Amino acid sequence: MIVGMFCYGIGLGILAPMNAVYMRDAIGLGKVQIASVFSIALLINMIVTLGVGFVSDRIKRKKALPIAASASAMLGLAIYMNAAGYGLTLTGMALIVGPSGLIMGQLFAMARNHFMNEAADFFEMAQIWLRSTLSVGFFAGLLVGANVYLVADFRGILIGNFLGYACLLAMLLVYKERGDAPPAAGTSRGEPFSVFMLVALLLLSCGDALRGLYLPLVVVQLFGKPQLMSYLWSIQAVFELLFMTLAGYWAAKYGSKRVIRIASLFAVFVYAVYTLSPPLAVFFAVQPLYSFYVSVLFGVAMGYVQRMFHTRIGFGSSLYVVLTQTASLVGYLLPFLVPGYSPAIFVIPAVLVAAALALMWIAQTLERRAKARSGAMSA
């Protein structure tokens, strides 16, 4: 599982900073076309992931799902790297992104089953470490991608992404999946269900998705070098490795919601800095703050959503993936409020995160009142 996640992270890291730039510069797509390709592919992804999430907990052997998703991604990449227009680009991305939600959600569900059989009291921290492995692979992929681009241009980047999925497929084929785990109710601390918190996490993910798509385009516009984004994201990934375990420890000690709120304040500050079109050194300097935010968003927040549905871990994992996918869909469309690729785009994620903080405050207030009423009734 760890090797497979590492390979998956490498594939993502090689392509992620260059994807939108490749569509614009190599294929020749416009802003509307780029956003529509990502949006349609993600819409398909959301439908597939949520549909599988409803039945995931009744599927005893989940390995076939990420295997099928990996094979589909490889086919999609073969089409994508030979695309010369909008139609083939959309077809390739639909095959790559459409079933990809089955990879993360089901890998974490499989890991949960493994650790619930082997070390039940340890499985939540183990899942954070599994997520950290993705960051290690992503970091390695960023460095590989930046250097491959200098030697082999965009085609080398796409071949590297293809090999990442191929390695993941190979690891899944040899992985021996554990059977159903014991019920988690006795070992997993549940969280109260909160629509406000789910919407807040959706808004946080919207901001991150918008940054992920448009920061490469803004950096290229400001500094003219596509490979800078790979170096910039590699700095972020390095600090993610440092913060992922710490964030999990702090969440266990001080509470997930408190850690999420603090990380969100860091994100607002970073987005505000981006809007000022700062020198390149400042972009690098604020990455550690954003790394902490990402560590919390993809580690602590994922565990928080899973604990809302701690007796249906497969559904909880899929729901979290759908939240991030919905966020990406919204994040791709909102920047049409700002013309071109101006740094002013980052006002939008700053507002989204501020709204999320307000919703988290409402959720905390309601939870306190519910506890007070419950205490009064028991007295």
Side-chain angles (χ1 to χ4, degrees), residues 131-155:
R131 178 60 181 80
S132 298
T133 302
L134 179 67
S135 292
V136 174
F138 190 77
F139 164 64
L142 290 169
L143 294 181
V144 171
N147 291 285
V148 166
Y149 175 77
L150 296 175
V151 176
D153 204 53
F154 287 117
R155 189 162 189 84

Side-chain angles (χ1 to χ4, degrees), residues 154-233:
F154 287 117
R155 189 162 189 84
I157 295 289
L158 293 169
I159 292 173
N161 189 235
F162 182 91
L163 292 176
Y165 278 108
C167 290
L168 172 61
L169 179 61
M171 293 303 104
L172 286 169
L173 289 173
V174 300
Y175 172 71
K176 185 177 180 181
E177 185 179 359
R178 297 298 301 264
D180 289 342
T187 55
S188 176
R189 178 171 52 86
E191 295 279 358
F193 176 78
S194 171
V195 173
F196 287 105
M197 282 301 299
L198 288 177
V199 175
L201 293 178
L202 174 64
L203 294 177
L204 295 180
S205 296
C206 280
D208 182 64
L210 190 152
R211 173 191 178 272
L213 178 61
Y214 286 93
L215 186 60
L217 299 171
V218 170
V219 167
V220 170
Q221 179 170 291
L222 290 176
F223 306 108
K225 297 180 180 179
Q227 67 269 26
L228 284 176
M229 267 313 300
S230 291
Y231 296 126
L232 193 61
W233 278 13

Side-chain angles (χ1 to χ4, degrees), residues 215 218 222 268-278 283 342-351:
L215 186 60
V218 170
L222 290 176
V268 172
F269 174 76
V270 172
Y271 294 142
V273 170
Y274 287 162
T275 63
L276 301 176
S277 303
F283 277 90
S342 166
I345 282 175
F346 297 107
V347 170
I348 299 172
V351 171

Side-chain angles (χ1 to χ4, degrees), residues 191-365:
E191 295 279 358
F193 176 78
S194 171
V195 173
F196 287 105
M197 282 301 299
L198 288 177
V199 175
L201 293 178
L202 174 64
L203 294 177
L204 295 180
S205 296
C206 280
D208 182 64
L210 190 152
R211 173 191 178 272
L213 178 61
Y214 286 93
L215 186 60
L217 299 171
V218 170
V219 167
V220 170
Q221 179 170 291
L222 290 176
F223 306 108
K225 297 180 180 179
Q227 67 269 26
L228 284 176
M229 267 313 300
S230 291
Y231 296 126
L232 193 61
W233 278 13
S234 69
I235 296 296
Q236 175 183 319
V238 167
F239 282 95
E240 275 185 47
L241 303 182
L242 298 176
F243 290 140
M244 191 70 75
T245 300
L246 284 175
Y249 171 75
W250 289 330
K253 185 174 182 180
Y254 302 111
S256 295
K257 291 189 285 292
R258 180 178 297 177
V259 173
I260 293 171
R261 287 196 299 271
I262 293 172
S264 300
L265 291 173
F266 288 170
V268 172
F269 174 76
V270 172
Y271 294 142
V273 170
Y274 287 162
T275 63
L276 301 176
S277 303
L280 182 61
V282 176
F283 277 90
F284 280 94
V286 297
Q287 287 313 296
L289 294 178
Y290 203 81
S291 294
F292 180 72
Y293 174 65
V294 172
S295 298
V296 171
L297 188 60
F298 291 110
V300 175
M302 180 188 68
Y304 176 80
V305 174
Q306 286 180 332
R307 288 195 300 276
M308 278 191 189
F309 306 92
H310 65 120
T311 58
R312 295 189 62 198
I313 202 74
F315 175 75
S317 298
S318 294
L319 179 62
Y320 179 78
V321 173
V322 169
L323 277 177
T324 60
Q325 292 163 342
T326 304
S328 297
L329 182 62
V330 176
Y332 294 155
L333 298 178
L334 282 177
F336 287 114
L337 298 173
V338 178
Y341 301 110
S342 166
I345 282 175
F346 297 107
V347 170
I348 299 172
V351 171
L352 292 175
V353 175
L357 284 166
L359 288 175
M360 284 187 270
W361 178 80
I362 293 172
Q364 184 180 25
T365 301

Side-chain angles (χ1 to χ4, degrees), residues 55-70:
V55 300
S56 174
D57 293 297
R58 295 194 291 271
I59 299 174
K60 292 184 178 181
R61 300 290 178 179
K62 306 182 190 327
K63 191 170 77 166
L65 297 174
I67 285 176
S70 300

